[in-house]
Amino acid sequence: TPPPTEASIMADMLESEHKVPRGSMLLEHEAQTTEQNAINVGQLLRAVDPVEEIEGGGEALQQAGGAGMRPMKERWGPVVVITSDWHVPRARLLFTEAFRGAELNLRFVAAPCYAMRSDTRRTYEVLEAHKCMSL
């Protein structure tokens, strides 16, 4: 059995600790980088149309055939990107680029990162900001 992905671990936490229904989440399990994650999520959102489940009353993700599909801004409410607090600037840059022209309401939530000391985290933020500006 393969180990769980970051997405499935975070989904478990959102479901158990914050009562976010699993059916309202769209998870991307393949990416190894933030850039690839942004691209993959863009492809998923373009290919999927959420429809209300008749039984159970929750959100279901249903594959749509492309032709006649509603515009993305009509199919999706806010798209929330959750990442570590020091990673938000890079994620914002890459996801905004991946969704250019999609007219989506992208939101970024900073999850605290307690594993790094504050001086190390600040150094990393400066380095990441520099890398983002160099892209």
Side-chain angles (χ1 to χ4, degrees):
T1 308
T5 64
E6 268 185 86
S8 60
I9 292 168
M10 292 304 297
D12 291 344
M13 187 268 309
L14 285 170
E15 188 175 42
S16 66
E17 295 180 24
H18 299 283
K19 308 302 181 224
V20 175
R22 180 67 73 131
S24 70
M25 300 178 212
L26 180 62
L27 307 179
E28 191 281 310
H29 299 283
E30 303 300 320
Q32 298 295 313
T33 66
T34 306
E35 181 177 24
Q36 190 60 54
N37 183 238
I39 291 166
N40 291 356
V41 169
Q43 290 171 349
L44 283 170
L45 293 182
R46 285 176 176 86
V48 173
D49 195 352
V51 294
E52 192 170 324
E53 243 174 27
I54 294 171
E55 295 178 24
E59 288 278 321
L61 297 175
Q62 182 175 38
Q63 294 289 9
M69 201 184 316
R70 295 175 295 148
M72 284 178 67
K73 67 182 180 180
E74 292 177 21
R75 288 185 275 142
W76 297 101
V79 174
V80 182
V81 177
I82 303 171
T83 189
S84 54
D85 52 359
W86 49 267
H87 192 246
V88 168
R90 179 173 173 75
R92 184 184 310 276
L93 176 78
L94 293 169
F95 275 81
T96 300
E97 181 62 28
F99 287 91
R100 184 179 302 244
E103 299 182 32
L104 283 176
N105 182 3
L106 279 176
R107 295 184 185 174
F108 296 85
V109 174
C113 178
Y114 300 109
M116 284 188 186
R117 291 186 357 224
S118 61
D119 56 337
T120 305
R121 188 169 56 240
R122 180 67 191 132
T123 301
Y124 190 86
E125 288 171 350
V126 170
L127 291 172
E128 280 297 304
H130 183 268
K131 274 197 258 182
C132 287
M133 289 187 281
S134 301
L135 289 177

